[in-house]
């Protein structure tokens, strides 16, 4: 059967374990901090850490991860855990093969951060409705005059909301000391809620939503660019043919000495013992495909020299194999065997593999003369 494959089938579907973990962390941390001390007092400086410093630090770290390609973000850490289905692991492999993994992880990290922020805002509203949250601030080194300019800079994005702006009067009224009994009216302690809400909405929800949109655009642009380059490369390398011209690539009958073997078929390599040109050693064997481990798949994807990929001749070419071959070069060797020995291919199987590599200028079908189809 002909291959019907487009690399664009890799998409930005949501990785729910990552998102749900982000939402859970947001709810737990928000509840813990907003519960305050025994008197229900919440330190404003702790809220600045949770809703301002940590989100901005997360944006910087994930952006550096995007630029460097192998940095650290929440999504990369979670994808390393052994909790993913085979389908999800295949998707991750495709993102690596198409060189869009860092965009996919960037998207998932921002989505998890957005879930963190939304759950935090929900907990914040619940606490405001159900309890009397008293916002205070404590510092040995800072006084209201020191803190006000910093908070005013933080509040610049919502200058249009005067009630959410910090004031020196509010700072003086809500400064707290552990050795002094609370003496301010409740209205003063509750006066920070609009400012705290604005911080969450702007620096958490709005900022992350914007970055999420940019990430989607970057992912699609990168994927489309790679597809266009691949098509362009194929069109240049392949001469124009008539409608009735041959649609099958010629079959190679020899391999370069010492070529690396990629055992995609997970076949018994003793089947190849009669072929003297092949070096069967641990250093000369790769393994990729559905039965490969993650470490084996990574090693195979990073291989850039010529290789010969062993495939089962009777299995039709799949999209996962086509994705893998986009960044490599070499030969496809379709094999069939009976009684622990290779046997000649069926003609229809060989034709299918020749058709498969016809539009791949860096690949060729290899088959020894003795294994050519017997039928005319």
């Amino acid at each position: 059967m002909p291959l019907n494959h487009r690399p664009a089938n890799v998409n930005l579907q949501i990785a729910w374990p990552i998102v749900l973990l982000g939402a859970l962390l947001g709810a737990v941390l928000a509840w813990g901090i907003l519960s305050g001390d025994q008197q229900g007092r919440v330190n404003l400086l702790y809220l600045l850490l949770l809703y301002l410093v940590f989100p901005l630090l997360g944006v910087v770290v994930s952006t550096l991860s995007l630029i460097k390609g192998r940095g650290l973000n929440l999504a990369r850490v979670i994808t390393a855990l052994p909790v993913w289905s085979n389908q999800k692991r295949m998707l991750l492999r495709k993102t690596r093969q198409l060189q869009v993994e860092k965009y996919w992880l960037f998207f998932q990290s921002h989505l998890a951060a957005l879930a963190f922020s939304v759950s935090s805002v929900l907990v914040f509203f619940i606490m405001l409705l159900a309890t009397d949250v008293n916002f205070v601030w404590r510092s040995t080194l800072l006084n209201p005059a020191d803190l006000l300019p910093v908070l005013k800079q933080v509040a610049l994005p919502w200058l249009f909301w005067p009630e959410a702006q910090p004031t020196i009067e509010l700072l003086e009224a809500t400064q707290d000391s552990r050795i002094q009994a609370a003496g301010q009216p409740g209205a003063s302690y509750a006066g920070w809620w609009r400012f705290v809400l604005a911080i969450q909405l702007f620096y958490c929800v709005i900022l992350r939503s914007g970055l999420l949109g940019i990430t989607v655009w970057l992912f699609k642009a990168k994927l489309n660019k790679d597809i266009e380059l691949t098509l362009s490369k194929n069109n240049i390398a392949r001469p124009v043919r008539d409608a009735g011209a041959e649609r099958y690539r010629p079959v190679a009958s020899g391999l370069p000495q010492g070529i690396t073997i990629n055992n995609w078929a997970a076949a018994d390599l003793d089947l190849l013992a009669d072929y003297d040109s092949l070096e069967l050693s641990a250093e000369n064997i790769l393994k990729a495909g559905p039965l490969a481990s993650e470490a084996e798949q990574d090693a195979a994807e990073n291989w850039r020299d010529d290789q010969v990929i062993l495939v089962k001749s009777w299995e039709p070419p799949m999209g996962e194999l086509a994705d893998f071959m986009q960044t490599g070069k070499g030969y496809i060797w379709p094999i069939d065997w009976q009684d622990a020995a290779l046997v000649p291919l069926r003609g229809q199987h060989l034709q299918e593999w020749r058709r498969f590599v016809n539009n791949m200028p860096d690949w060729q079908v290899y088959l020894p003369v003795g294994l050519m189809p017997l039928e005319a």
Side-chain angles (χ1 to χ4, degrees), residues 15 18-19 22 58-59 61-63 65-66 71-79 101-117 208 211-212 215:
I18 299 175
V19 176
V59 169
V61 171
S62 58
T63 301
S65 175
L66 178 66
L72 179 67
N73 56 35
L74 177 65
R76 189 178 295 278
V77 172
I78 298 176
T79 53
E101 180 192 29
K102 62 181 182 179
Y103 300 102
W104 190 88
L105 292 172
F106 196 59
F107 172 80
Q108 303 300 338
S109 291
H110 281 308
L111 205 58
L114 186 59
F116 178 101
S117 303
R208 287 289 186 173
L211 289 172
L212 205 61
T215 305

Side-chain angles (χ1 to χ4, degrees), residues 9 31-33 44 69 81 94 99 101-102 114 127 154 163 179 181-182 187 209 234 244 258 264 308 324 331 373:
N9 62 5
W31 188 275
I33 292 181
L44 179 66
L81 300 177
K94 283 188 177 182
Q99 300 180 2
E101 180 192 29
K102 62 181 182 179
L114 186 59
M127 298 292 285
V154 170
E163 293 82 2
I179 63 174
S209 297
N234 288 344
W264 187 282
V308 54
F324 176 83
Y331 303 82

Side-chain angles (χ1 to χ4, degrees), residues 192-225:
W192 286 107
W193 76 265
R194 296 178 182 83
F195 175 77
V196 175
L197 175 62
I199 285 180
Q200 294 182 71
L201 293 179
F202 181 81
Y203 290 103
C204 298
V205 177
I206 296 177
L207 178 62
R208 287 289 186 173
S209 297
L211 289 172
L212 205 61
I214 293 173
T215 305
V216 172
W217 179 83
L218 287 172
F219 181 91
K220 292 182 177 179
K222 171 64 176 175
L223 202 59
N224 290 335
K225 180 179 179 181

Side-chain angles (χ1 to χ4, degrees), residues 137 180 364 376:
W137 65 277
Q180 294 178 351
Q364 205 169 349

Side-chain angles (χ1 to χ4, degrees), residues 14-178:
I14 298 173
W16 285 108
I18 299 175
V19 176
L20 293 177
L21 181 58
L24 180 61
L25 286 174
V28 170
L29 288 177
W31 188 275
I33 292 181
L34 291 171
S35 296
D37 58 18
Q38 293 180 346
Q39 288 76 39
R41 292 173 298 184
V42 179
N43 193 332
L44 179 66
L45 300 184
Y46 291 165
L47 294 178
L48 289 177
L49 281 175
L50 180 62
Y51 297 135
L52 178 65
V53 177
F54 288 164
L56 292 180
L57 184 61
V59 169
V60 171
V61 171
S62 58
T63 301
L64 289 176
S65 175
L66 178 66
I67 294 172
K68 295 177 64 176
R70 293 294 296 180
L72 179 67
N73 56 35
L74 177 65
R76 189 178 295 278
V77 172
I78 298 176
T79 53
L81 300 177
V83 297
W84 298 92
S85 65
N86 290 333
Q87 182 180 5
K88 288 295 184 184
R89 290 196 175 279
M90 288 178 64
L91 175 62
L92 286 171
R93 288 177 181 176
K94 283 188 177 182
T95 63
R96 286 195 294 270
Q97 292 163 1
L98 296 175
Q99 300 180 2
V100 292
E101 180 192 29
K102 62 181 182 179
Y103 300 102
W104 190 88
L105 292 172
F106 196 59
F107 172 80
Q108 303 300 338
S109 291
H110 281 308
L111 205 58
L114 186 59
F116 178 101
S117 303
V118 171
S119 65
S120 295
V121 171
L122 291 176
V123 170
F124 183 70
F125 272 115
I126 291 172
M127 298 292 285
L128 290 179
L129 290 172
T131 66
D132 55 336
V133 182
N134 296 317
F135 299 98
V136 299
W137 65 277
R138 304 186 185 103
S139 176
T140 303
L141 301 178
L142 300 175
N143 58 52
D146 297 326
L147 199 55
L148 182 62
V150 177
L151 298 185
K152 281 187 171 293
Q153 290 296 317
V154 170
L156 281 177
W158 56 89
L159 276 173
F160 57 86
W161 191 5
E163 293 82 2
Q165 295 296 315
T167 64
I168 191 67
E169 293 79 15
L170 188 57
L171 281 167
E172 291 173 346
T174 55
Q175 186 173 11
D176 184 61
S177 173
R178 297 178 187 273

